[in-house]
Every structure is written in C-alpha cells, then in structure tokens.
C-alpha cells in the first residue's frame, strides 16, 4: 500500500455508515489485515495535517424511510456519497437492521448504472462465497451486532468526481410484546451528514391507542426536532436535524446523534373477534381480545446451580427469582427445583402462592449456591413429574396452565448427557400436556438444543446475555409469559373460502401479546367469510363468531401516494416462512425436509434473505478487473451465538469468568475418551477436535521432537467384548514417554507407573498419592486420579486415570493425556498432538444447518484445504475426572483428514518407545 494518499473516513448514519479509501493511482485498495490497517492509520495522521478545504468525499444524503401497514414494516435505507477528490475512493456502506427482519433488496447506483443484488439458494451461492474467501476477502456481508441487530456492510470503488447511491430494503412483521410494538433504528453517525432524515409512517385501520417516540441520545436541543403527527388511524414521525443541529459543539465535527431511535405504539382493540385486513386476495387476522381475565398458572422453576453458575450469574439469578416470586398471583401454584449433579426440590409438590409461602420461598432462594455438575435431563423430568402428580391428585386447579421454566448456563454433563436423548425423554414425559420455556444464560449453553426442546413442548427459548442487566432480562421474559389469558386457541375459517393458512392453533395467548393468522382467499365472496375463535378461559370456554369485512383502503387513506398493494401477501409469505423454518427444526426427518424445501421456494419467490438463501452482490469492475462477489446471509440464533464466541477476545470460551483462574491462558492439547483429540486455542476463544479410530493394540505417536529428545507414544485398547450396538470403543490404556537427552523413560498404564533412569526402575501404584522429585524429572501422583509429569526445561504433561466399574460388561479403565506446557519444544516438534504445539492458522466461514439443529456445519480453510466441519463438543476432564466439562469445538471428520499432516496411519509406530 505504498503511495497511499487516502484514508478511511468513518461516515456513519442512522442504521448505516460509510468510510472510504483512495490511492494516488486510483486503483481499488482492499486491505483488511493488521499491517494495512496500521498503514491506513498512518495515512490518516498525515492527512490530518493537510488543508481542511481539500476536497475528499462528502456524504450528501442519508434517509431511513419506514412504512408500517397493519404491523408489517417495509424499510428503505438510502445513502448518497459524492467523491470530490481527483483520485478514486473506496467507499464502505454499513448499516444495522433488526435480526427479525428479512433483507429483500440491495442495490447501488454508480454513474447512473444500477447494480442490484440477487437472492439465490444458499447452496448455489456457495461457490461464489468460497471463491471470495479463498482469495482473502471478507465475503460475509452480515454480522451479528448486539442482541437485537444485524450489521450489513459492503464496499465499492468510486472514480474521481463521481457519486454512489446505496439502497437497502428489508421487511418484518412487528411482534407485540408487553402490550406494544417497537420500531428500532440504531443511530451512530460519528460524523456530520448534509441531509439526514428518519421518517416513519404508521397505518393502522384499527386505530392507534398511543404512539411514543424516544431516543437514547435526545438532548433538550434535539428533542423539539422530533415531529410527530398522530390521527385516529395514522401516525407520522420524522427526525431531520441540520448539520449545525447535529454538532456536539459550534465549529466541531463531532455529532450528538449516537444511540437508538425508538418508536413504540399500540392499536385500539374493541372487539373480541379481533381485526381482519383483506387486500388483493390475501387476508391477515390479528387476535388479542380486550379485558380477558388471566388464567391461573402452575409453574415449576428449574434452576441450574452447577459450578459454572458461580459468581455474578448466580447472584443475578437469585435477584431475578426474588422479583418473580413477588409477582406471583395468589391463585398461582409454584415449585422450585435447584439442580446440579443432584436434584433437590424445595418442596415435594407445587404449593399455592400465598404470601406466607412466597416469603418462605424467597428466604430459600437467597440461600441457593453453586456447586456440582449439570443434570438437565433429571431436573426437567422431575418438574414434569411434579406437575403430573399435581393434576392427578386434583391439588392443582382444573382450569389452569401448566408450565416449566428452565434456566441453565451450560451443557448436560452428568446423568443423561446426549442432548437428542434428553429431548426425546422430555417430549415423551410431557406428552403435549404442558409448556417448557428454556432460558440459556451466557454463551456456554447449547442454544440450539434448548430451542428445539422448547419448540417440541409448546414453549420457546430465549438467550439471556451475560451482562449487568441479566436480572432484568430474566424478569422481562417472565413478564411475557406470566399472565396467560387463553389456552388451546383455535382460529377457524371456511374451507371453501380460504387456503394456504399459516398456523391457526396456538397453545396459549399471553397478556400483552397477539396472535396473527394469514391466508389466501379462494374467491372474493365476503358473504361466506365467517370465522370462529375458540379457547379455554379462566371460568369458561371462550368462543366468538363473526363475519369478515373488507376495508376500502382508498377511502380510509384518500390522500396517500403509497400503494398498499401486496402488503398482506408479503406479510403472509413472511409469516409462513418463519413458521416453516421453525418446523424444520422439529418433527420427523421427512417433515423437516418438506418444511425446509417449502421455506426455500418461498424465500426465492418473494426475494427474502433467510437462513436458506443468500443475496449475491456483484460489484462493478475496477482497473484490476472484476471483483469477487459478496454474499449476504441471514443468521440464525445459533449462528449468532457462535459468531459471538468466535469474535470474543477474552479467555473463558464456553466457561464462566469465575473459573478463569483454573485455566492457564495458553493452549492445551489433549487426547481423552474414545480417543478424542482436542486443541484448545484461548487466544482465539476456540477449539478444534477430531477422533482417531483404529483397531485395538495400535500404537500412535503423539509427540516427537528429535531436537530436544522428547517422544510420547500411546497404545489403544478395545472394549472387553462387542456391545449390542456392534461398535467397539477404543481408548488409550498406556503411554510411553522418553526424554533421550535427560536419559528418562516412563511407562504409564492403567495399573501403575514405571520410571526408568540410570539403569534403575521405580514403580509407583495409582492407589496412593505420591511424589518423586529428581534433577531431571518431577512426578506427582494423585490417588486414583492423575499423574503430573514435569521434564526439566522442556515440557509438562498430565495423565488422567479413568476408573470404570470393575464388573462393567464392556468398558475398561483408560487414560487421558494432556499437554500443559510445550513452549520450550523446538519448531520441528510433530506427532498427532505435537504438530499443533506452535499454532495453527485456519478460518471458519459459511455457518449453516447441520444434520442436527444443535450442531451446525461450516466450511474451514486450513493448510490449503477446504473442509466441511461440524460444531460439537468434547469433554475436558482436568477438573472433574468423573463428569468432565463440555468444551465446544470444530469437529474435523474422517480421522482429522485435512487438519493433521498426512494420514492417521502415518503416525502408527511399532513399539511404545519406537519412532517408526
């Protein structure tokens, strides 16, 4: 980048930002590595000394235009920039949109020519995606941004004295929560914009009950600039400060605008039947009847108190539970089940939420402390059992709603730990008779597992972020589900009038929420459009019938230029795709495949960027030739969680901060179990893992360093006999460790430990705690648990002993091998583990659904290879030899092929102390 005369000048707006690069030669410059970024910053400092009148790039106009029609929001973001320099500039466009929205269009107008993004099937966009990644570019345009937003970004090279206009469009159905709808615009300009404008028009035929606007950055000077006009069925909100009004201070370039611009509103609800909108052959039915009495609930709180909940998470959970208990209604029944490796209900059955019982429960909650492992299966099944027993014994009211609220921060690692088995067990036990709500606390939790399990059982999952407001997050979720109004709600329409209905049966209607059903009309005969809504209420069944009527939008809004057109059809499509995506996570394999196929077809038909599609943005050619296309994807919540983990720069991947002291901030390499190899990389907050499968008796080289004289080999052993499933497990049962330079040799097996040095042999049993210190080697044996080996000035290992029940019909005792310190080994160190001791460079992209919802696939670029990898986990047993701790990792299939050098058979040796 020598000769660089330009600078990336950050010019952000509302949802979006722009920044730019220029070159003396006018060439396109894309530099995303650290060296280039540093050079760019140096150029920035040089440019700051130039004349302030020097022409560069000017952001002329930025506009956010949002139109909400019966809750369906259509947002168009437009930005125009002019390159006033005499050299080309690379301009970056960046904006944030709600994670619930679907991008529908992106286009760039450059010198009167339009470049329009195209929505394609994700599989068909993969080759273009891989080409961009392998060429060194950051091909993904969409990244997670905070809890509610996604960030879209793209760059383009603009010639001297030219301009560019970026246009991004997205759509979403606003969800009613706690009695209101919310329109969120993230506003972070960072600099001044000539024409800055946010305009929102809301059209609600039911009538607006209130409209409220606020922003986190509104000062007394900016507040009057928010113009709000509200009539019975329409509202218009605008915010368009001038450049001077944007300034932090007179004459400075800093801006006051930095935060969220939020509009909240609700509509009038006058009929129990709800409201129906019919436009161009499609209808949408909004149902949230007023003045319904709440239905009593029977709620079991299943609270994770395992060791990973220690510290602030446990404190915040206690605070949230105290507030929630205070909000229980006296006609509710409740139970508390704290769990770790043991499950200890506060009471043996649900009790009524009287003042005395609540006070006693609050005193108990204050004493809940963290300890032990995580038995999710046993805890949830105990909650189900308590609700079933309460119903059978008639101690719980007949007309009441049963629910379980599970809060956990980690992976199941004791009892039943297979997540698919847990899902089957819970689904079978619940039998469709109650709701399960799952709260995943922090990034260590397997959100995909919780999401599927809740959807299988009439509930939903929610992520609780580790932050100072976690207590409020927990309370907020409870508020959403604390007041059921109806259960088993059915919305029925004539079969000969409507078709292609979205979901029309709902397990519950909660206070402050809303049920939405949409479909297509088979004809326009409104005389036959009768509808009926039924459900189970507090004291009696709910039933209401009525006749649908089509409204004349032209009469209702005679002065509007906006063509309401197909909003009901697009709302129907949006809602159908969302529900199909949910169905693709649960049910039988053929049902999931059908739901996925239908969702894909509709995503392509309506040009929605969903988890099944991508928007391919083809940038204009430069003097260097055509540029690689960029890809915009839609992130699932699982992908957002993974992205947050991968982008984090603090140690503690998949672990809670209070346990940091137990884990050194250096990589750990180990093999344990059947045999599972793991490379933990704390500097990337990530881990890689693979299995090696071979016949019992095979000896593998794990570490070999000819320069320092270190050699570690391990031999595997098989099960006692073939298990019923026909799969023989293999494990390492003995290791040979040699330090040729020091003249030390160790043989460690499941029976004992032998040390050979200077022609002598010392034998140590596992049955006693012992230590051996010498000039070249230190050994520390912890009874029936571990051996710590420190070889002078070279390396430190830990070998774990896993004791299996002596009479187990299949399994045997086995060993695990952990490298704790290897930095003194030479650069030529190799072996199945040793080859990773000095680091590994790789890139993971293209997160996508895998065979199991909780285990997504991705593409990994490593050692010149392109591999399909799967997000899974392996257990680290260093701090809990019995249960271990699940560590998320990228699993490389087929014996680590592509990750390890050569083939697994290349590491087979002829003897425990042999190199070949």
């Amino acid at each position: 980048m020598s000769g660089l005369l330009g600078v990336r000048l950050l010019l952000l707006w509302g949802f979006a930002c722009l920044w730019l690069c220029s070159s003396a030669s006018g060439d396109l410059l894309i530099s995303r590595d650290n060296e280039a970024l540093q050079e760019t910053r140096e150029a920035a400092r040089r440019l700051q000394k130039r004349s302030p009148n020097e022409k560069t790039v000017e952001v002329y106009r930025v506009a956010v235009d949002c139109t909400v029609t019966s809750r369906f929001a259509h947002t168009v973001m437009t930005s125009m920039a002019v390159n006033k320099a005499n050299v080309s500039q690379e301009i970056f466009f960046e904006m944030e949109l709600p994670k619930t929205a679907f991008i529908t269009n992106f286009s760039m107008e450059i010198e009167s020519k339009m470049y329009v993004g195209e929505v394609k099937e994700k599989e068909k966009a993969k080759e273009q995606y891989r080409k961009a990644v392998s060429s060194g570019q950051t091909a993904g345009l969409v990244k997670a941004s905070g809890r509610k937003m996604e960030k879209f970004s793209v760059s383009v090279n603009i010639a001297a004295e030219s301009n560019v206009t970026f246009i991004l469009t997205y759509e979403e159905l606003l969800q009613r929560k706690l009695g209101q709808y919310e329109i969120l615009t993230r506003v972070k300009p960072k600099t001044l914009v000539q024409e800055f404008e946010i305009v929102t028009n809301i059209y609600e035929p039911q009538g607006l009950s209130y409209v409220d606007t606020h922003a986190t950055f509104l000062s007394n000077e900016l507040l009057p600039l928010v113009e709000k006009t509200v009539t019975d069925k329409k509202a218009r909100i605008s915010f368009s400060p001038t450049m001077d009004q944007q300034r932090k201070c007179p004459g400075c370039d800093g801006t006051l605008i930095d935060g969220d611009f939020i509009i909240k509103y609700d509509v009038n609800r006058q009929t129990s039947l709800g409201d129906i909108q019919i436009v161009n052959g499609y209808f949408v039915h909004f149902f949230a009847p007023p003045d319904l009495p709440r239905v009593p609930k029977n709620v079991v709180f299943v609270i994770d108190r395992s060791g990973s909940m220690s510290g602030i998470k446990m404190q915040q959970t206690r605070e949230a539970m105290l507030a929630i208990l205070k909000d229980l209604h006296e006609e509710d029944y409740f139970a508390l089940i704290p769990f770790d490796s043991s499950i200890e209900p506060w009471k043996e059955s649900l009790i009524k939420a009287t003042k005395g019982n609540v006070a006693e429960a609050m005193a108990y909650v204050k004493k809940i402390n963290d300890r032990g492992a995580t038995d999710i299966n046993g805890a949830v099944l105990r909650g189900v059992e308590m609700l079933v027993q309460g119903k059978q014994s008639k101690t719980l009211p007949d007309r009441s709603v049963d629910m379980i609220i599970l809060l956990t921060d980690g992976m199941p690692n004791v009892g039943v730990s297979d997540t698919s088995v847990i899902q089957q067990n819970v689904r079978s036990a619940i039998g469709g008779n109650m709701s399960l709500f799952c709260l995943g606390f922090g990034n260590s939790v397997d959100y995909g597992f919780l999401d599927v399990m809740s959807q299988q059982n009439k509930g939903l999952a929610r992520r609780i972020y580790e932050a100072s407001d976690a207590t409020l997050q927990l309370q907020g979720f409870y508020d959403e589900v604390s007041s059921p109004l109806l259960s088993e709600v059915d919305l029925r329409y004539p079969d000969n009038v409507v078709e292609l209905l979205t979901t029309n049966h709902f397990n519950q209607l909660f206070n402050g929420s809303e049920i939405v059903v949409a479909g297509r009309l088979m004809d326009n005969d409104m005389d036959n459009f009768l509808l009926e809504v039924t459900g189970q209420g507090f004291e009696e069944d709910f039933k209401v019938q009525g006749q649908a009527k089509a409204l004349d939008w032209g009469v209702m809004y005679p002065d509007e230029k906006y063509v309401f057109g197909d909003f009901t059809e697009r709302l129907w499509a949006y809602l159908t795709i969302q529900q199909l995506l949910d169905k693709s996570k649960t049910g039988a394999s053929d049902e999931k495949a059908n739901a996925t196929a239908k969702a894909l077809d509709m995503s392509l038909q309506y040009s929605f960027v969903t988890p099944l599609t991508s928007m391919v943005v083809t940038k204009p050619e430069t003097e260097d030739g055509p540029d690689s296309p960029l890809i915009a994807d839609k992130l699932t919540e699982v992908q957002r969680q993974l992205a947050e983990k991968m982008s984090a720069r603090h140690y503690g991947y998949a672990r809670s901060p209070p346990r940091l002291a137990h884990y050194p901030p250096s990589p750990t390499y180990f093999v344990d179990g059947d045999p599972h190899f793991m490379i933990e990389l704390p500097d990337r907050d990530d881990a890689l893992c693979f299995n090696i499968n071979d016949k019992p008796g095979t000896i593998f080289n794990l570490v070999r360093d000819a320069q320092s004289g270190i050699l570690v080999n391990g031999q595997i052993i098989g099960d006692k006999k073939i298990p019923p499933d026909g799969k023989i497990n293999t494990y390492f049962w003995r290791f040979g460790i040699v330090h040729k330079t020091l003249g030390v040799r160790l043989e460690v097996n499941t029976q004992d430990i032998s040390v050979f040095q200077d022609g002598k042999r010392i034998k140590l049993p596992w049955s006693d705690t012992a230590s051996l210190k010498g000039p070249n080697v230190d050994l520390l044996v912890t009874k029936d648990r571990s051996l710590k080996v420190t070889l002078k000035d070279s390396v430190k290992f830990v070998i774990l002993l896993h004791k299996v029940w002596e009479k187990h019909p299949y399994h045997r005792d086995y060993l695990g091998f952990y490298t704790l310190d290897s930095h003194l080994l030479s650069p030529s160190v190799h072996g199945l583990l040793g080859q990773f001791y000095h680091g590994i460079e790789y890139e993971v992209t293209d997160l996508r659904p895998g065979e199991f919802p909780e285990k997504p696939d991705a593409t990994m670029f490593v050692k010149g290879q392109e591999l399909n990898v799967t997000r899974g986990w392996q257990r680290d047993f260093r701090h809990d030899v019995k249960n271990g701790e699940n560590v998320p990792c990228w699993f490389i299939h087929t014996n680590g092929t592509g990750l390890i050098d050569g083939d697994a058979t290349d590491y087979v040796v002829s003897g425990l102390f042999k190199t070949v």
Side-chain angles (χ1 to χ4, degrees):
M1 279 184 69
S2 59
L4 177 67
L5 297 178
V7 57
R8 295 179 184 180
L9 173 63
L10 219 58
L11 299 168
L12 300 99
W13 53 278
F15 275 84
C17 72
L18 295 169
W19 70 96
L20 14 120
C21 259
S22 67
S23 161
S25 61
D27 294 336
L28 173 65
L29 292 172
I30 302 180
S31 298
R32 296 183 171 99
D33 58 20
N34 293 333
E35 182 180 351
L37 182 59
Q38 182 62 33
E39 192 167 349
T40 302
R41 288 171 176 163
E42 291 298 328
R45 284 191 283 269
R46 292 196 298 271
L47 279 176
Q48 288 172 356
K49 300 177 181 179
R50 297 182 181 178
S51 167
N53 297 321
E54 181 176 344
K55 293 183 178 181
T56 55
V57 171
E58 179 182 294
V59 180
Y60 181 73
R61 181 172 184 267
V62 164
V64 183
D65 188 352
C66 177
T67 301
V68 180
T69 312
S70 287
R71 288 72 142 179
F72 193 65
H74 175 93
T75 304
V76 180
M77 333 269 315
T78 306
S79 179
M80 188 178 79
V82 181
N83 180 11
K84 294 189 173 182
N86 57 6
V87 294
S88 65
Q89 306 265 17
E90 185 173 15
I91 301 179
F92 289 72
F93 170 82
E94 188 174 277
M95 54 81 65
E96 295 189 34
L97 68 155
K99 67 180 183 181
T100 51
F102 290 157
I103 293 173
T104 61
N105 181 58
F106 174 72
S107 58
M108 299 180 289
E109 183 178 357
I110 304 171
E111 297 179 356
S112 301
K113 183 176 180 180
M114 292 295 294
Y115 299 86
V116 181
E118 180 183 1
V119 176
K120 293 184 178 182
E121 180 182 355
K122 184 165 288 188
E123 291 298 317
K124 293 183 178 178
K126 267 184 183 175
E127 287 307 313
Q128 291 168 292
Y129 188 97
R130 289 170 179 167
K131 177 182 177 182
V133 172
S134 61
S135 67
Q137 294 190 46
T138 303
L141 301 186
V142 178
K143 308 290 184 185
S145 178
R147 302 173 188 175
K148 297 182 178 181
M149 311 296 280
E150 290 175 348
K151 185 177 291 184
F152 176 96
S153 57
V154 68
S155 66
V156 64
N157 199 53
I158 301 301
E161 306 296 333
S162 298
N163 63 67
V164 58
T165 300
F166 297 101
I167 304 171
L168 182 81
T169 306
Y170 65 84
E171 295 176 333
E172 67 170 324
L173 177 62
L174 302 179
Q175 299 176 20
R176 188 171 186 250
K177 291 183 179 180
L178 301 176
Q180 61 190 10
Y181 308 97
E182 180 181 281
I183 307 165
L184 171 63
T185 305
R186 185 146 292 160
V187 187
K188 292 182 175 293
K190 302 294 184 185
T191 190
L192 306 175
V193 180
Q194 267 203 34
E195 293 184 8
F196 180 88
E197 184 178 47
I198 299 174
V199 176
T200 300
N201 288 291
I202 303 173
Y203 302 90
E204 290 289 354
Q206 281 181 256
L208 293 160
S209 62
Y210 78 91
V211 179
D212 179 47
T213 304
H214 70 280
T216 57
F217 56 84
L218 283 181
S219 61
N220 291 334
E221 292 76 22
L222 291 177
L223 190 60
L225 303 181
V226 178
E227 298 182 2
K228 182 173 69 173
T229 304
V230 181
T231 58
D232 181 29
K233 295 179 173 61
K234 180 191 172 183
R236 176 181 173 85
I237 301 97
S238 63
F239 178 64
S240 53
T242 65
M243 288 186 72
D244 283 340
Q245 290 167 333
Q246 296 170 39
R247 296 183 193 276
K248 273 188 175 180
C249 56
C252 64
D253 293 333
T255 176
L256 290 168
I257 303 170
D258 184 5
D260 292 339
F261 189 83
I262 302 167
I263 300 170
K264 296 182 179 181
Y265 77 93
D266 200 13
V267 299
N268 297 320
R269 303 175 193 279
Q270 299 174 346
T271 68
S272 297
L273 189 62
D275 183 66
I276 292 186
Q277 305 295 329
I278 303 172
V279 177
N280 290 350
Y282 286 82
F283 81 93
V284 57
H285 183 188
F286 302 100
F287 178 71
D291 304 323
L292 284 179
R294 64 180 301 278
V295 178
K297 64 180 180 293
N298 312 309
V299 56
V300 179
F301 298 99
V302 182
I303 306 165
D304 187 346
R305 64 172 181 194
S306 61
S308 57
M309 284 286 290
S310 64
I312 188 66
K313 282 194 286 189
M314 196 74 254
Q315 176 186 330
Q316 291 173 325
T317 299
R318 285 192 295 262
E319 292 171 355
M321 282 306 307
L322 292 174
I324 288 169
L325 289 170
K326 282 183 182 178
D327 288 341
L328 287 171
H329 293 262
E330 192 154 342
E331 63 269 23
D332 292 337
Y333 284 73
F334 74 102
L336 303 171
I337 304 181
F339 73 95
D340 46 89
S341 49
S342 61
I343 298 151
E344 301 174 351
W346 170 53
K347 305 282 187 182
E348 290 304 312
S349 61
L350 283 85
I351 62 173
K352 197 170 185 181
T354 63
K355 290 183 179 179
N357 286 339
V358 168
E360 186 181 349
M362 292 175 68
Y364 172 79
V365 165
K366 292 177 183 178
K367 298 177 182 178
I368 296 177
N369 290 308
D370 57 279
R371 68 183 198 193
T374 309
D375 185 1
I376 291 176
N377 181 78
V380 175
L381 293 184
R382 184 70 182 93
V384 175
E385 180 185 359
M386 291 176 71
L387 283 167
V388 171
Q389 289 175 347
K391 287 291 189 180
Q392 290 176 345
S393 64
K394 304 294 185 181
T395 57
L396 301 178
D398 288 335
R399 286 190 175 272
S400 58
V401 173
D402 297 337
M403 65 176 69
I404 297 172
I405 298 179
L406 166 67
L407 169 66
T408 182
D409 78 324
M411 294 291 300
N413 56 17
V414 68
V416 178
S417 57
D418 186 319
T419 54
S420 61
V421 174
I422 296 174
Q423 289 167 346
Q424 293 170 8
N425 292 344
V426 171
R427 190 174 193 177
S428 176
I430 286 179
N433 296 317
M434 60 192 71
S435 297
L436 173 64
F437 300 98
C438 298
L439 303 179
F441 202 151
N443 266 338
S444 302
V445 75
D446 184 346
Y447 180 79
F449 155 60
L450 297 180
D451 185 32
V452 171
M453 188 165 66
S454 61
Q455 290 194 44
Q456 289 175 336
N457 297 286
K458 297 185 175 182
L460 56 88
R462 183 74 55 82
R463 291 179 62 194
I464 302 299
Y465 297 84
E466 289 189 63
S468 59
D469 68 340
T471 299
L472 296 177
Q473 295 177 59
L474 291 167
Q475 289 178 241
F477 173 82
Y478 174 76
D479 289 343
E480 290 181 39
V481 300
S482 63
S483 296
L485 303 178
L486 294 174
S487 61
E488 305 306 328
V489 184
D490 284 298
L491 298 92
R492 302 188 183 97
Y493 312 90
D495 293 338
N496 61 341
V497 176
V498 302
E499 61 181 355
L500 303 179
L501 271 180
T502 59
T503 299
N504 64 329
H505 172 82
F506 297 84
N507 302 309
Q508 303 100 2
L509 171 67
F510 294 104
N511 187 37
S513 67
E514 180 176 63
I515 286 174
V516 183
V517 179
R520 188 169 71 184
L521 299 177
M522 298 169 67
D523 59 50
N524 290 319
D525 185 4
M526 291 296 98
D527 293 335
N528 293 324
F529 198 168
L530 300 172
L531 58 142
E532 177 182 84
V533 183
T534 61
Q536 298 176 13
F538 173 36
E539 296 178 336
E540 59 185 3
D541 289 343
F542 177 90
K543 183 175 181 179
V544 62
Q545 297 174 319
Q547 173 85 35
K549 298 179 181 179
L551 298 175
D552 190 330
W553 286 74
V555 173
M556 191 176 302
Y557 302 104
D559 301 325
E560 301 302 329
K561 296 180 180 179
Y562 176 77
V563 179
F564 296 104
D566 62 351
F567 89 87
T568 48
E569 180 179 356
R570 295 193 66 80
L571 186 156
W572 164 81
Y574 175 95
L575 193 57
T576 300
I577 292 170
Q578 291 279 31
Q579 292 174 356
L580 286 170
L581 291 171
D582 287 339
K583 289 178 182 178
S584 70
K585 303 175 188 175
T586 60
S589 57
D590 58 337
E591 294 173 343
K592 292 192 284 188
N594 289 336
T596 300
K598 290 178 182 177
L600 173 59
D601 288 343
M602 291 189 65
S603 299
L604 294 171
Q605 179 183 350
Y606 289 93
S607 294
F608 284 138
V609 178
T610 71
L612 304 175
T613 55
S614 300
M615 178 168 285
V616 180
V617 180
T618 303
K619 301 200 295 185
E621 292 189 6
T622 68
E623 295 178 11
D624 293 337
D627 201 353
S628 297
L630 299 180
I631 310 298
D633 287 328
K634 181 67 183 174
L635 302 179
T636 65
E637 197 61 40
V638 171
Q639 290 169 332
R640 289 175 64 88
Q641 183 189 28
L642 289 175
E644 289 165 15
K645 290 180 181 180
M646 295 169 65
S647 64
R649 283 298 176 263
H650 63 278
Y651 188 71
Y653 193 104
R655 301 185 178 94
S656 59
R659 298 195 65 176
L660 284 178
H662 294 296
Y663 291 87
S666 58
T668 302
Y669 316 88
F670 67 85
V671 57
D672 212 329
D674 177 24
H676 307 305
F677 288 77
M678 171 80 83
I679 299 98
E680 292 191 63
L681 305 166
D683 61 325
R684 294 188 60 152
D685 290 343
D686 209 352
L688 308 179
C689 52
F690 59 93
N691 294 347
I692 296 292
N693 299 307
D694 211 315
K695 63 182 182 294
T698 304
I699 302 174
F700 291 100
N701 173 244
L702 304 183
V703 183
R704 183 178 71 252
D705 186 3
Q707 186 171 329
S708 63
I710 293 286
L711 177 73
V712 181
N713 292 335
Q715 185 175 29
I716 58 176
I717 192 173
D719 285 333
K720 298 174 184 176
K721 60 181 180 180
I722 301 176
D725 61 7
K727 178 189 175 184
I728 294 184
N729 298 294
T730 56
Y731 319 84
F732 281 103
W733 79 282
R734 65 175 185 148
F735 293 108
I737 302 174
V738 176
H739 196 311
K740 189 175 180 180
T741 306
L742 299 179
V744 177
R745 189 175 71 176
L746 287 84
E747 179 180 339
V748 183
N749 58 48
T750 55
Q751 302 299 316
D752 51 45
I753 303 146
S754 296
V755 185
F756 303 89
Q757 188 173 18
D758 300 328
K760 298 178 182 179
R761 176 187 180 185
I762 300 175
K763 192 173 182 179
L764 301 173
W766 282 106
S767 57
D768 294 314
T769 294
S771 63
L772 177 65
K773 291 185 176 291
N776 297 322
V777 61
D778 288 345
L779 303 179
L780 175 62
V781 181
T782 302
K783 179 181 177 181
D784 289 334
R785 177 185 174 94
S786 65
L787 166 68
K788 187 174 182 180
V789 181
T790 304
L791 298 174
K792 181 182 178 183
D793 298 330
S794 56
V795 69
K796 184 183 295 183
F797 303 121
V798 168
I799 297 174
L800 299 183
L801 173 65
H802 296 274
K803 301 280 288 183
V804 177
W805 179 44
E806 187 177 354
K807 295 182 180 180
H808 195 288
Y810 309 112
H811 302 329
R812 305 175 188 265
D813 294 351
Y814 64 95
L815 302 174
F817 180 86
Y818 293 73
T819 310
L820 301 186
D821 186 358
S822 60
H823 73 282
L824 293 176
L825 295 181
S826 75
S828 62
V829 64
H830 209 263
L832 282 171
L833 288 176
Q835 63 189 289
F836 303 107
Y837 283 177
H838 293 295
I840 174 91
E841 294 296 325
Y842 66 94
E843 191 68 36
V844 177
T845 63
D846 190 20
L847 287 166
R848 55 190 180 273
E851 182 179 356
F852 303 101
E854 65 273 16
K855 295 182 178 181
D857 287 345
T859 299
M860 176 180 288
F861 295 92
V862 60
K863 295 184 176 180
Q865 307 272 350
E866 179 182 326
L867 309 178
N868 180 69
V869 295
T870 300
R871 195 64 174 173
W873 52 86
Q874 303 290 6
R875 292 192 190 182
D876 183 336
F877 291 92
R878 279 176 291 163
H879 305 286
D880 186 344
V881 175
K882 181 180 178 181
N883 301 306
E885 182 175 11
N886 283 322
V887 178
C889 59
W890 291 112
F891 182 78
I892 292 83
H893 301 270
T894 322
N895 286 350
T897 301
L899 176 67
I900 65 173
D901 295 334
D903 185 80
T905 57
D906 298 336
Y907 299 85
V908 175
V909 294
S910 59
L912 198 62
F913 300 103
K914 302 288 188 180
T915 57
V916 293

